[in-house]
Amino acid sequence: MADLETFRAEVRDWLAANYPASLNAPMSEDEAPWGGRKMVWKNPDAKLWLERMGARGWTAPTWPKDYGGGGLSAEEARVLSQELARIHARPALMSFGIWMLGPVLLEYATEDQKRRFLPPIVRGEIRWCQGYSEPGAGSDLASLQTRAEDRGDHFLINGQKVWTSYADQADWIFCLVRTDTTKKHEGISFVLFDMTSPGVEARPIKLISGSSPFCETFFDNVKVPKDQLVGKLNGGWEIAKRLLQYERQNISAGGFGGGAGLELEEVAKGYVGLRAGKLADADLRARIAAHKMDAKAFALTVRRAETESKAAKGPSPAVSIIKYAAASLNQAKHELMLEAMGTKGLGWDGEGFAPEEIRETRAWLRSKGNSIEGGTSEVNLNVIAKRVLGLLDHQ
Amino acid sequence: MSGLNEEQVMLRDAAKAWVDDKSPVAALRRLRDQGSQTGFDPAAWREMGEMGWTGVVIPEAYGGSEFGYRSLGLILEETGRTLTASPLLSTALIAASALNLGGTAAQKEAWLPKIAAAEIVAGLAVDEHPHHDPARTALAATREGDGFRLDGAKTFVAEGLAADLLIVAARTSGEPGEASGLTLFLVEGAADGLVRRRLQLIDSRGAADLAFTGVRVPAEAVLGEVDRGFDLLETVLDRARAGLAAEMIGTATQAFETTLDYLKNRTQFGQAIGAFQALQHRAAKMFTEIEMARSCVYAALDAIDANANDVRALASLAKAKACDTLHLVSNEMVQMHGGIGMTDAHDAGLYLKRARVAEALYGSASWHRDRYATLLGF
Ligand SMILES: Cc1cc2nc3c(=O)[nH]c(=O)nc-3n(C[C@H](O)[C@H](O)[C@H](O)COP(=O)(O)OP(=O)(O)OC[C@H]3O[C@@H](n4cnc5c(N)ncnc54)[C@H](O)[C@@H]3O)c2cc1C
């Protein structure tokens, strides 16, 4: 423990010296530090912050130093995140590479691949997108059709992905492709390629919230060198599922967030008002209280799952419910927020609404995707029922 | 009670045919994408007038057919299906009701024929806060000479930007929060001292904020009695709530049917997703909710037509049930469509956005549950 406290003191000193003061201002959506070749830094200090954190490997604190990571133990990483939270530091980097791809590369990639792909992820130089879903393969992901034909030294890829988040902003894609058409799950491979390869096209799709974070992504005779296959040929399904676990776990750590970061009860007090010290709308008050309890129960469960997983050196059964619970909770929060704001929560744009109000409304719309992205809530519940509870598959 | 007469069947079928042909969801999308200020298509509004929809609750003497509220509800249900944006509710139901119930012969003569002919757009200006609460009206009407001057602000006024005529709830005495001391006024949209600002809402319809600064109106502009306007206002609002609930049931029905189609046609795991019981039961539950809400809406409209003494409670019942049902169905519509439901190109988002605006308009479910409890005496 003494070591940890020494580490904490070190982190504090380092943050005091290295966290740029200009980042204390709230971060707007267009400042999200996704990194990558196409990143336009509105504030050069945000770039500096990434460079400093990246150089220490603290954007991926527990990854081995050999691959650019911070080489920290889980306990040290926790201290780091506590200290970052203490000063309300902005994230240095938001990254599918760190949340999803990196962990499976550490597990399944060759030494050469790790050395090639991990360090640029840590430094935020390469931004990744996830090529899983296709028009005909969503919940039934394993029915995917995008073909990768063996052409000797390379694969030739043809097909289409959809709902590919930030495909138009990403530098590389981790992509599920079919390498054997005679089998379903055992005919899938996991490949990596550059989005600037000839034959790749990403067309943005507008969401109901008005922004266009995801794309239709087309592959027309895209050549992918064979050394960019991760794991075994036709062995991609296992990797794909593993990555989804990391994706869902990551949600437990960060939650879905979104919106102007306002506290529900404060918003309700402001827009509904108080009567005799209580929220004037008793019905809304009771529902907000129930939601706050759910949120607390969720936070406690996340913490308990962490402790138990660590003790058992394997995931606690509580882990399985986290993505589903996080999605439901975030959606409930945004619905209550909208309701509390009344007509002020119904603005799309223009005069008559404060920027935070518009942001909340858009975040409410965006939150509808939480129970769809990363596997739908229905699929999540199916997995809990079958895998965790051992209920028979009726199919 | 709920059986439709021949006229009503014809009206409903005609409405359905017109809406499908002239006002599919694409029409709302077009208005939105063109950045329409008033949020409706004047040509469609004229056609509604030609078809007699604008005169359904107006007496024959003033150019209407007086078919009644249940009949107008049938039309609103159809327009609600395709999210048709029009001043039908605000003008032909709400303003027509206000004039008919509270107007002098002169007021009726001046305005009802114009409404019946769809020559004017009218709106009701009641809310001043983010949450519906007519008794909280503060907009001041002060006597000045023979008339009044109005000072204050209104928000969330449906068709407020296009309205030629506004029915404005104002305070002539008492304090905000008190039911007594309210008076309704007829104010022309072009009145001096009235500044209107478009509110760009998520449902892309025509809503506005209104600012009144020394707006002068003659004594003849008073609708109903001075200081005793609350009762008339509530009577009008109950018609508005029942009519809006009819529209919302139409919206919920279409959102449900579109979703049901998707459940039947989208395949995953080698079968229609509608084959999964997890979704089947939710679809069956939505169907149950819609049918229950529909009964409440029809009962409220019938009660209005019969001048029954339980209109208030039935209107709150209808609005609360319509809110809850549409809330549920609009969420499920997105969820059951998966990724495509999150795209702007799909209609699900438009239903979701209209749902929340309609839920808030003239009292949320929670507001109406509270009122229902009060009306029932607990
Ligand atoms: C905001 C957002 C971002 C996304 N980002 C990415 C990305 O970066 N990369 C990527 O590859 N994909 C991404 N997706 C896609 C996402 O993973 C899919 O949308 C999701 O897996 C569902 O697939 P689908 O859209 O085809 O819906 P479908 O699978 O067609 O599902 C339709 C409905 O049927 C239900 N359903 C399906 N099967 C069952 C069953 N067996 N039992 C009960 N109900 C069932 C679903 O739960 C859903 O409600 C994103 C989606 C969203 C909304």
Side-chain angles (χ1 to χ4, degrees):
Chain A
M1 284 328 254
D3 283 356
L4 271 194
E5 287 320 303
T6 318
F7 179 68
R8 188 184 297 278
E10 255 176 56
V11 171
R12 269 191 201 187
D13 289 348
W14 188 83
L15 288 178
N18 289 282
Y19 187 66
S22 74
L23 301 188
N24 287 321
M27 183 173 89
S28 63
E29 215 151 305
D30 57 353
E31 286 183 295
W34 288 105
R37 299 174 195 141
K38 294 183 183 170
M39 180 76 197
V40 179
W41 296 95
K42 254 180 81 178
N43 178 350
D45 281 352
K47 183 164 183 269
L48 187 67
W49 174 228
L50 169 59
E51 283 163 1
R52 288 176 177 168
M53 286 285 280
R56 292 208 67 147
W58 283 0
T59 47
T62 58
W63 293 7
K65 283 200 160 153
D66 280 356
Y67 310 125
L72 302 185
S73 68
E75 290 76 17
E76 287 168 331
R78 205 178 156 110
V79 167
L80 174 62
S81 81
Q82 285 166 351
E83 289 306 312
L84 287 165
R86 198 179 52 84
I87 63 162
H88 303 288
R90 290 187 192 184
L93 178 63
M94 291 163 58
S95 159
F96 287 11
I98 291 192
W99 302 331
M100 306 181 205
L101 178 64
V104 299
L105 290 184
L106 284 169
E107 222 171 302
Y108 294 95
T110 63
E111 187 59 27
D112 282 352
Q113 288 173 330
K114 289 182 200 171
R115 290 189 184 279
R116 178 175 172 197
F117 294 114
L118 292 173
I121 291 178
V122 176
R123 294 192 299 264
E125 289 162 3
I126 293 295
R127 180 173 180 181
W128 289 83
C129 64
Q130 177 182 31
Y132 275 34
S133 308
E134 296 180 4
S139 296
D140 184 13
L141 180 59
S143 66
L144 61 95
Q145 299 294 328
T146 294
R147 277 283 280 144
E149 276 174 75
D150 191 332
R151 291 292 174 94
D153 64 335
H154 67 272
F155 294 109
L156 195 65
I157 301 194
N158 280 288
Q160 184 196 341
K161 296 289 171 182
V162 76
W163 325 132
T164 328
S165 293
Y166 309 112
D168 56 336
Q169 301 297 320
D171 304 310
W172 276 64
I173 185 167
F174 48 93
C175 193
L176 297 181
V177 292
R178 182 153 299 286
T179 35
D180 185 342
T181 52
T182 64
K183 300 194 187 83
K184 192 173 176 181
H185 300 84
E186 299 81 25
I188 294 170
S189 297
F190 191 104
V191 295
L192 313 173
F193 54 92
D194 194 320
M195 289 294 280
T196 60
S197 312
V200 178
E201 190 195 350
R203 292 185 204 149
I205 306 172
K206 198 152 130 202
L207 279 189
I208 58 176
S209 57
S211 59
S212 299
F214 62 23
C215 296
E216 286 180 289
T217 313
F218 298 90
F219 309 125
D220 179 18
N221 287 328
V222 179
K223 280 187 184 174
V224 174
K226 280 210 168 148
D227 62 359
Q228 289 166 210
L229 167 76
V230 179
K232 295 196 194 85
L233 187 70
N234 296 323
W237 184 244
E238 183 189 331
I239 306 175
K241 279 196 302 183
R242 196 85 182 104
L243 185 139
L244 283 176
Q245 273 180 351
Y246 286 114
E247 178 177 2
R248 289 166 195 170
Q249 247 171 47
N250 177 67
I251 288 163
S252 78
F256 282 104
L262 309 172
E263 278 298 322
L264 188 48
E265 61 272 31
E266 292 308 319
V267 169
K269 280 191 217 166
Y271 290 87
V272 177
L274 296 176
R275 200 176 292 145
K278 297 179 176 184
L279 204 61
D281 181 337
D283 179 26
L284 184 61
R285 180 172 185 263
R287 285 182 289 126
I288 291 177
H291 171 75
K292 302 287 293 184
M293 288 184 171
D294 288 346
K296 185 74 183 172
F298 176 73
L300 291 169
T301 305
V302 168
R303 204 178 314 155
R304 183 167 65 84
E306 264 175 30
T307 322
E308 289 180 0
S309 300
K310 212 184 292 165
K313 297 212 180 339
S316 139
V319 168
S320 62
I321 65 173
I322 280 170
K323 196 268 169 172
Y324 165 71
S328 312
L329 210 56
N330 196 49
Q331 291 178 333
K333 186 186 96 182
H334 284 292
E335 282 292 355
L336 285 166
M337 194 73 94
L338 202 77
E339 191 180 337
M341 283 161 59
T343 57
K344 289 290 186 185
L346 301 172
W348 178 254
D349 205 357
E351 285 182 85
F353 302 97
E356 309 84 71
E357 291 168 340
I358 300 283
R359 219 177 304 151
E360 278 305 333
T361 310
R362 304 283 183 120
W364 159 72
L365 286 162
R366 175 62 184 79
S367 76
K368 296 294 166 200
N370 297 162
S371 48
I372 300 170
E373 59 200 300
T376 68
S377 287
E378 288 77 12
V379 165
N380 267 222
L381 292 172
N382 282 345
V383 170
I384 297 172
K386 288 180 206 165
R387 306 271 154 71
V388 184
L389 306 181
L391 293 171
L392 285 180
D393 190 345
H394 70 272
Q395 289 164 46
Chain B
M1 215 181 69
S2 319
L4 300 184
N5 62 34
E6 211 175 309
E7 256 159 19
Q8 289 172 326
V9 171
M10 278 172 59
L11 206 56
R12 185 198 57 200
D13 292 350
K16 191 172 183 47
W18 182 85
V19 159
D20 287 347
D21 180 34
K22 298 289 183 67
S23 183
V25 182
L28 173 72
R29 195 179 280 284
R30 203 157 47 236
L31 282 170
R32 182 194 73 171
D33 295 344
Q34 290 165 350
S36 163
Q37 294 290 304
T38 57
F40 68 89
D41 171 8
W45 176 231
R46 259 196 312 278
E47 285 189 39
M48 289 184 180
E50 285 159 15
M51 293 183 290
W53 294 4
T54 42
V56 175
V57 300
I58 293 176
E60 287 180 20
Y62 301 108
S65 62
E66 212 173 357
F67 284 162
Y69 287 87
R70 180 65 205 286
S71 299
L72 188 48
L74 293 171
I75 297 172
L76 286 165
E77 205 178 319
E78 294 305 323
T79 59
R81 274 182 173 267
T82 59
L83 306 176
T84 299
S86 88
L88 191 64
L89 181 74
S90 75
T91 309
L93 193 148
I94 302 175
S97 297
L99 287 157
N100 210 21
L101 292 161
T104 60
Q107 288 170 334
K108 291 183 191 177
E109 239 148 67
W111 297 109
L112 286 177
K114 289 190 172 138
I115 291 179
E119 275 169 29
I120 62 158
V121 168
L124 175 67
V126 52
D127 290 317
E128 299 179 10
H129 300 279
H131 294 273
H132 181 68
D133 194 354
R136 265 184 93 187
T137 295
L139 186 138
T142 333
R143 282 196 194 270
E144 201 179 78
D146 285 345
F148 294 82
R149 59 170 283 168
L150 307 181
D151 294 278
K154 293 288 177 186
T155 188
F156 203 49
V157 180
E159 318 307 339
L161 204 66
D164 304 289
L165 174 67
L166 289 155
I167 294 160
V168 181
R171 186 157 290 284
T172 33
S173 69
E175 295 296 321
E178 293 173 8
S180 69
L182 291 192
T183 306
L184 300 186
F185 289 91
L186 299 176
V187 180
E188 298 203 19
D192 281 341
L194 170 59
V195 176
R196 303 192 269 187
R197 182 175 66 186
R198 178 183 176 217
L199 280 182
Q200 266 181 268
L201 300 183
I202 48 178
D203 71 348
S204 311
R205 295 215 191 167
D209 274 348
L210 312 180
F212 294 76
T213 320
V215 174
R216 287 177 175 75
V217 289
E220 299 79 61
V222 172
L223 186 72
E225 288 178 71
V226 173
D227 282 348
R228 299 210 183 144
F230 187 74
D231 207 47
L232 174 60
L233 177 61
E234 280 289 87
T235 305
V236 172
L237 277 169
D238 280 332
R239 280 148 184 77
R241 290 158 183 155
L244 177 58
E247 183 188 320
M248 291 167 79
I249 281 303
T251 304
T253 303
Q254 187 59 56
F256 176 66
E257 287 177 7
T258 302
T259 306
L260 199 58
D261 266 356
Y262 198 70
L263 293 183
K264 289 175 183 169
N265 292 312
R266 168 72 172 169
T267 57
Q268 285 289 275
F269 304 101
Q271 52 197 313
I273 57 171
F276 300 121
Q277 266 181 4
L279 302 186
Q280 286 177 343
H281 284 193
R282 275 153 57 188
K285 182 164 184 296
M286 280 193 272
F287 176 68
T288 308
E289 294 297 332
I290 291 171
E291 289 309 310
M292 305 256 266
R294 189 190 306 285
S295 309
C296 301
V297 171
Y298 292 171
L301 294 167
D302 282 337
I304 294 168
D305 283 330
N307 217 359
N309 57 15
D310 55 353
V311 167
R312 291 226 182 321
L314 286 173
S316 274
L317 170 71
K319 180 70 193 338
K321 292 301 283 179
C323 284
D324 287 345
T325 303
L326 184 54
H327 189 92
L328 170 74
V329 176
S330 59
N331 276 338
E332 289 285 48
M333 185 183 198
V334 175
Q335 180 64 21
M336 292 189 179
H337 278 83
I340 204 163
M342 282 298 292
T343 64
D344 183 67
H346 194 272
D347 290 343
L350 298 177
Y351 279 84
L352 180 69
K353 290 167 183 169
R354 174 58 189 166
R356 293 303 178 276
V357 174
E359 284 172 52
L361 195 57
Y362 311 131
S364 67
S366 140
W367 193 85
H368 281 289
R369 279 193 289 267
D370 185 65
R371 182 174 185 251
Y372 194 71
T374 304
L375 288 167
L376 264 55
F378 68 96

